[in-house]
Every structure is written in C-alpha cells, then in structure tokens.
Amino acid sequence: MAGRSGRISDEDIALVRERSPIADVVGEHIQLRNAGGGNLKGLCPFHDEKSPSFNVTPARGYYYCFGCAEGGDVITFVRKIENLTFSEAVERLAQRAGIQLRYEQGGYVPGREQGERLRLIEAHRAAAEFYAERLAAPEAAPGRRFLSERGFERADAEHFGVGYAPNEWEALSRHLMARGFTSQELIKGGLAREGRRGPVDRFRGRLIWPIRDITGDVIGFGARKLLDSDDGPKYLNTPESPIYHKSSVLYGVDLAKREIAKRTQAVIVEGYTDVMACHLAGVPTAVATCGTSFGEDHIKVLRRLLLDQAEFRGEVIFTFDGDSAGQKAALRAFQDEQKFVTQTFVAVQPDGLDPCDLRVKQGDAAVRDLIASREPLFAFAIRSTLSRYDLNTNEGRLAALDAAAPVVASIKDPGLRKTYVVDLDRWLGFMDEGFVIQRVQQVAGRAQEGAHAPGHRQTGRTAAAPARSAPVRQEPLDPAVRLEAEALKLAVQRPALLGPEFDALGAAAFTLPEHVALYELVLAAGGTVAGGPGGREWVDRLLEQADAGTPDGPGADLKPLVTRFAVEAVRADVNVEERYGAAVLAKIQEVAVGRAVAQVKSRLQRLNPVDEQQEYNRLFGELVALEQQRRVLRERASGA
C-alpha cells in the first residue's frame, strides 16, 4: 500500500472497496450472466477458454476462475487486468467512484505525486478536452469541413469527442505543463516528442479522435491529416505507451460494449469515421482497430464481450472495401475465423463504398442494409479464391478446386465442411460431389501429414494451441474429498451454519494437505464462531490470516483456495442450507468414524481372542460403540 505518494489510509481502501461493486467493475471488461446461487459467470479475461469458468460473487465481493485459478477482490482484478500496482489500482477505483484519497506520512498528496498510470490517464483526458475545445476555433475550419463533407454535425463530433490539434509546435505541451504535468509524462504518454528545447506536440494541424479503453478512459489519439503542407502519413496514431497497446485496442468499444453484449453482435470496420457512421446509422455494435490489422488480442476482447461460448449464437461481421485490398483483408480475417466460436461474416459493398461514404451517398438505411446483407466468411473466402480463375475452362475449374480445397479442408466442423463441399461443387459446375469430396480429403490428408512431419512447426489457427494454456482445476473424484471441500466452503461462506461443531472436528477429519491447512487457518482466525453469518468481512479476515501464514503445516499461501471457496457455489439450495450444513458435518464425522472402525477391525484381526482375550474384548466393545455412533451420524447425514 506504499508508493511514491505515501501509504493510502486503510479507511480509504475499505471505502474504495465498498463503493466499487465488483460486478460493475468486472462487467466493464467482460459480459457476465447469471449463474445461479447469487453468482455471475463469464469468459475469463486472464486466459483463453471456450466456455465460461470465470465466476463473480457480488455478495462477498470476490471473483475466481476455475480454469486458471486466478481470484481475488475488486482491487486484485483491476491490478491484474490493467497491470497496476496495488496503490495504482486503488487510485484507479477511487477516481471511478469519486473518492479523494488520503495518504499517510504527509496527508493529501498533489496530483503529480500519484501513480504513473493515473497521471497519464489524467493527461490524456485533459488533452482530449483541449482538442475538443479547439475544434471550434477559426483555424480548425478544415477539420469542421472534413466532418461536414462526411455527414457529421457538431453534435456528432461532440458525442465522439472529435477535436482539432492546432498547427503549432507546443500548443498542447504548454497547456498541459501549465496544468502541472511534466515533460517526461507527456513524452512517455506519446502526447509529445523530445525537441531541442523541450517537448514538441506529436499532433499538429490534424483532426483528432480520442481513443478510449473499454472503461471509457482516453488512452491515446488517432489524427487525420488536413493540410497539404503536412508531409506525414494520412493517419497518425499514438505510439505504444504504458497505457496504449494498439494490438488490443478497439476504437469505439467503450460506446459499443453494451450493445455488443445485448445483441451478441460485433461489427468490425476499418476507420474512425466508419465507426461514427455505423453508430449514427443504427449499427451501434461497430468498432475499429487503431493503426494495425485485426489480430488475436482484438479477438480476445470481443469474445469476452460476446460471451463467445461453444454454440453458434452470436455474430462477428467484418466490413471491407470491395477492391482487391479489401478482399485480402477479408482473407486475413479468415485465418483467425476459428478462434471465434460464434459465427463470422463479411459485409462488402459491391461499389466499394465504405460505411462512411455509403451513409453520405445513400443514407442511414443503406448502412443497415450493408450489415444485414452479410455473407458467411467461409463462403466469401471460397468465392474470393474462385474469382482468381477462369471457370469457363476445365483447366481453370480444376485449378480453382485445388486452390479452394485447403479453405474447405480447414473447416473444423464436419457438417459445415460437408455443406461447403456441396456449395463448392455447385459453384464450379462439376456436378460431382464425390469427386470434390475426394479432392478436399486429399488436401486435408496432405496438410495433416505435413503437420505431423518431423521438424514441422505448427502455425495458424487450425494447428496452433492457445498461446497461454491455463491449468484446469479437476473436480476431486473421491466423495470424501468433495465432502471436505463442501464443509470448508460453508466455513468460508456461511460459518454460522457450522458453528462450534466444525471447530471441534480436528484436523484429522481432513485428508488433503491444503484442506488441513485451510481448516487450521479458520481456527487461527477464531473459528467459525468468530465468522458469524459470514460475508465479506469474514472472507477478508481469512485472507489476512493467510497473509500471516498458518502456525503449523503447509499452506503458506492459502489465499487462492480461500477465494475459490468464497466464490464457488454451495451444492444445496439456499432454502435448505441450514439442514445441509448439519448434514455435511455429520457426514464428515461419519467418514472419520468409518476410518476408526476400519482401524479397530484391522487390529482385532491381528489379535488372538483366546490368548489376548482382555484386549480383544476391549477393542470389540470399542467397535460396537463406533458402529452405533456411525449409525446415528448416518441418519443425521442423510441430507448431504
């Protein structure tokens, strides 16, 4: 909790947690859906997965992924998702909640002393305001004319935050440094470059679009050339910085994310004005990359927003120009198609107009019609391949078949692959499905042989494994181990249901070392009696105790297990939890007594009832008492 700005007070940290509902904060990054039992579920942002295993429990303020074992509270989530220090994460959430933090060792600290990321975010917000204000200046007339010619009004520019960078060397730099930002911050954030006598503005005489992250913070800018005297590229973007990583940034995602989740549809366009045109025309799911091609990190962002599961439920629609460059872009997108689970489409305007130009010339309805006329990406890729050949000759059709066969062979779904074989035969005019199937199978066989050849390096989406394989938590098969987990889960979530009887079980009632360690941790925190009704305070207390370590045995780092058990759903309906808690305790005791019975029986078998009659009778009496105890516990445990 200590940093350049001093130690943030514990009271303020608690207030930040209280005013930062974890479902809202996590929901800014991924789509969450009701998973029952008060839990929410979505696709994990920390590893690639096909079905959701990331759980959030709003009542206790924790999250846990059963796929990669990442877990924690709202501060932990922000730290990991944005790669921040603890203090920076607290400052980030405090800013979001409108809380002014107090720092110990010197009281409130001015802005220049705060975390680096927060400072860069503030500088970009101030820069966006500066640019937006300058759009109304006389010198910005070329920028206003550019917008007007493309059908955008003043209100549209304000909605998207479009601005203008003065054609001066230091206009923005002087403005921001007067606001207390340093030249090093401006250069590090990509707002300025190092000049001979100080920082020089990166963008000059250009129309400016603020690029926001998924939470709505400005993290960079895109700038369009307006002046003939500008010898730079048509579009210039913020360089890589601590807050701006172009490979994972999607322009417009802050405005589109809710509609993407609601409609389970994402539309990928090529430019900032295309995003604006789509949103204004009634396609609010449009986003665009920022100075880079659409790639794997962009896919991860969209999958989490779409809750892209193992079912053909949603749509990802790529829009490209109808020229050869647009076709090449579509075929590049095809290479990533199967990284989505959902369906992928291409929408190409035959006359080559992009969504912005289409809206200007034909109106809003034409943009909506373009998206509605989408074509499956597989079909587009196959048709684009066939278009390169003369299909009027046998030689041309055969060459086209051989060229298209790898595309069809790469379709993983057997049923879909068979359907496209039929289409391919029809498009080529062979009228011989068997011949086309054979040709495709030959290509697929050669590709498979090549993939398994010695020294072959697998590439591409059909062969490559996920970049980061995450450990998958296996459900214990032993019923006794599952029972231990249920008891510990209740001890973490609903300790009052267990009470002193749980505390009296003893560590011997648990078999897994981590279960033993967690049981001892609960006792070290005061036992379930101290936990009361449970909730966030009790979980926090256990996590603090885990930080301190357990007095004996393994389990120096039990925090992931505590977090998991705080989030994982109890196996009983909330209406019968009280009976369930008693039944689980009885069952654990029954299992322990069963082990004692087995031990006594083993000892009896080793005794001679004649020569060791006294010991035999004593053990036999102990066995009868244990069996009686087990019968009673079994009756009580009937609800587990």
Side-chain angles (χ1 to χ4, degrees):
M1 287 178 287
R4 289 182 301 164
S5 52
R7 188 179 187 276
I8 303 171
S9 74
D10 291 339
E11 289 182 5
D12 283 358
I13 293 173
L15 184 63
V16 165
R17 283 197 179 99
E18 180 185 330
R19 294 189 184 176
S20 303
I22 192 166
D24 293 348
V25 174
V26 173
E28 292 178 347
H29 296 268
I30 66 175
Q31 185 187 165
L32 294 172
R33 290 194 175 162
N34 194 332
N39 276 16
L40 302 171
K41 182 177 283 190
L43 288 174
C44 180
F46 303 118
H47 81 285
D48 291 335
E49 59 179 4
K50 291 294 185 183
S51 57
S53 59
F54 185 88
N55 284 254
V56 176
T57 305
R60 285 178 286 277
Y62 284 91
Y63 72 90
Y64 186 82
C65 176
F66 292 97
C68 67
E70 289 280 3
D73 64 3
V74 68
I75 296 175
T76 310
F77 179 83
V78 172
R79 285 186 67 182
K80 291 182 180 295
I81 198 75
E82 299 191 23
N83 194 28
L84 306 176
T85 65
F86 181 89
S87 295
E88 287 172 337
V90 173
E91 289 169 347
R92 176 82 170 79
L93 289 168
Q95 180 190 33
R96 180 185 180 278
I99 299 170
Q100 182 170 296
L101 296 173
R102 293 165 297 172
Y103 296 80
E104 297 176 357
Q105 304 171 9
Y108 175 73
V109 178
R112 66 176 183 277
E113 298 292 334
Q114 296 172 15
E116 177 186 85
R117 178 183 173 84
L118 183 60
R119 292 287 295 159
L120 295 181
I121 292 290
E122 289 177 348
H124 278 74
R125 182 171 63 250
E129 293 171 355
F130 172 81
Y131 289 140
E133 291 172 359
R134 297 304 288 263
L135 185 61
E139 64 173 312
R144 295 194 297 273
R145 185 165 56 251
F146 177 94
L147 293 171
S148 178
E149 289 172 351
R150 284 155 182 79
F152 302 123
E153 301 175 356
R154 179 176 179 178
D156 303 330
E158 291 175 354
H159 178 68
F160 289 93
V162 182
Y164 175 77
N167 191 25
E168 303 174 32
W169 288 101
E170 303 165 356
L172 177 67
S173 298
R174 285 196 308 269
H175 174 77
L176 293 181
M177 291 175 72
R179 298 274 297 269
F181 296 99
T182 66
S183 59
Q184 290 79 9
E185 288 172 334
L186 303 188
I187 294 168
K188 195 163 193 176
L191 295 168
R193 294 181 289 105
E194 188 73 69
R196 295 180 183 177
R197 293 175 292 183
V200 174
D201 293 354
R202 181 170 295 276
F203 307 118
R204 301 187 303 277
R206 287 176 173 252
L207 200 60
I208 300 289
W209 282 266
I211 300 170
R212 296 182 173 89
D213 65 14
I214 200 167
T215 67
D217 282 333
V218 180
I219 55 174
F221 296 95
R224 209 279 186 189
K225 180 167 69 172
L226 296 171
L227 307 175
D228 294 336
S229 58
D230 188 338
D231 58 359
K234 180 186 288 187
Y235 280 95
L236 186 63
N237 294 289
T238 294
E240 292 284 310
S241 77
I243 62 173
Y244 181 79
H245 307 287
K246 63 182 180 182
S247 64
S248 58
V249 172
L250 288 167
Y251 174 73
V253 72
D254 57 309
L255 298 174
K257 63 182 180 182
R258 299 201 185 282
E259 288 297 325
I260 289 174
K262 179 181 175 182
R263 304 187 185 199
T264 59
Q265 178 199 75
V267 176
I268 317 300
V269 297
E270 292 196 315
Y272 307 127
T273 56
D274 293 329
V275 171
M276 295 174 67
C278 283
H279 281 242
L280 295 171
V283 184
T285 56
V287 294
T289 59
C290 300
T292 186
S293 58
F294 187 81
E296 189 168 336
D297 288 338
H298 299 120
I299 292 173
K300 292 176 182 177
V301 173
L302 289 180
R303 289 196 67 236
R304 294 195 294 267
L305 290 176
L306 289 163
L307 193 54
D308 188 25
Q309 302 182 61
E311 54 189 73
F312 288 93
R313 203 168 46 79
E315 298 180 341
V316 175
I317 304 169
F318 295 91
T319 65
F320 299 103
D321 293 341
D323 57 16
S324 59
Q327 289 193 2
K328 288 180 181 178
L331 293 175
R332 281 199 305 270
F334 171 76
Q335 301 302 316
D336 286 325
E337 193 277 339
Q338 290 176 99
K339 288 178 182 172
F340 286 106
V341 176
T342 194
Q343 301 173 86
T344 50
F345 298 85
V346 172
V348 177
Q349 183 68 14
D351 54 15
L353 296 177
D354 58 33
C356 181
D357 291 336
L358 182 62
R359 178 173 178 260
V360 171
K361 294 187 177 182
Q362 300 181 31
D364 291 348
V367 176
R368 295 193 296 270
D369 289 345
L370 168 64
I371 304 305
S373 66
R374 64 204 180 281
E375 178 182 16
L377 186 53
F378 280 127
F380 180 83
I382 295 169
R383 285 179 179 275
S384 296
T385 301
L386 299 184
S387 68
R388 302 199 302 265
Y389 298 88
D390 181 3
L391 303 185
N392 294 316
T393 66
N394 290 331
E395 292 80 2
R397 286 188 294 157
L398 190 60
L401 172 58
D402 287 346
V407 179
V408 179
S410 70
I411 301 174
K412 289 183 178 179
D413 185 281
L416 195 60
R417 185 167 61 245
K418 176 71 180 298
T419 301
Y420 276 110
V421 165
V422 174
D423 286 341
L424 180 58
D425 176 48
R426 180 166 50 85
W427 292 334
L428 288 171
F430 283 116
M431 306 306 290
D432 187 347
E433 291 179 17
F435 172 69
V436 175
I437 289 173
Q438 183 182 27
R439 206 79 171 187
V440 170
Q441 287 175 340
Q442 288 174 350
V443 171
R446 288 197 296 270
Q448 192 170 12
E449 288 173 8
H452 292 93
H456 174 79
R457 181 181 178 185
Q458 290 185 333
T459 59
R461 51 180 298 196
T462 55
R468 177 185 170 190
S469 58
V472 178
R473 184 183 68 87
Q474 298 295 328
E475 186 71 20
L477 298 179
D478 186 344
V481 174
R482 287 208 302 267
L483 197 66
E484 294 173 17
E486 282 297 292
L488 290 166
K489 200 187 302 176
L490 288 171
V492 172
Q493 294 185 23
R494 303 289 300 281
L497 296 179
L498 302 179
E501 197 171 352
F502 174 87
D503 300 340
L505 282 176
F510 299 89
T511 54
L512 288 187
E514 57 264 37
H515 288 178
V516 173
L518 182 53
Y519 174 78
E520 292 174 344
L521 179 76
V522 171
L523 296 187
T528 53
V529 176
R536 180 171 193 145
E537 291 182 3
W538 172 238
V539 176
D540 288 345
R541 185 169 177 176
L542 291 174
L543 290 170
E544 289 173 6
Q545 187 66 41
D547 270 334
T550 50
D552 301 300
D557 184 13
L558 287 170
K559 294 178 74 173
L561 191 59
V562 172
T563 306
R564 178 188 133 196
F565 282 158
V567 170
E568 188 173 345
V570 173
R571 293 176 182 269
D573 186 86
V574 68
N575 297 320
V576 297
E577 276 188 358
E578 188 169 347
R579 294 201 309 273
Y580 182 69
V584 167
L585 280 176
K587 189 68 176 176
I588 281 189
Q589 291 171 308
E590 182 202 344
V591 171
V593 170
R595 286 196 289 265
V597 167
Q599 290 174 356
V600 171
K601 284 183 176 179
S602 176
R603 289 165 62 190
L604 280 172
Q605 289 175 353
R606 294 195 299 270
L607 290 177
N608 186 318
V610 177
D611 297 339
E612 301 171 285
Q613 184 178 8
Q614 185 175 358
E615 179 64 10
Y616 185 90
N617 290 341
R618 187 188 69 78
L619 285 176
F620 188 80
E622 185 178 334
L623 178 62
V624 171
L626 285 170
E627 289 286 12
Q628 174 64 25
Q629 184 182 1
R630 184 158 69 168
R631 278 195 297 273
V632 172
L633 289 170
R634 188 171 292 158
E635 291 174 3
R636 288 174 52 195
S638 59

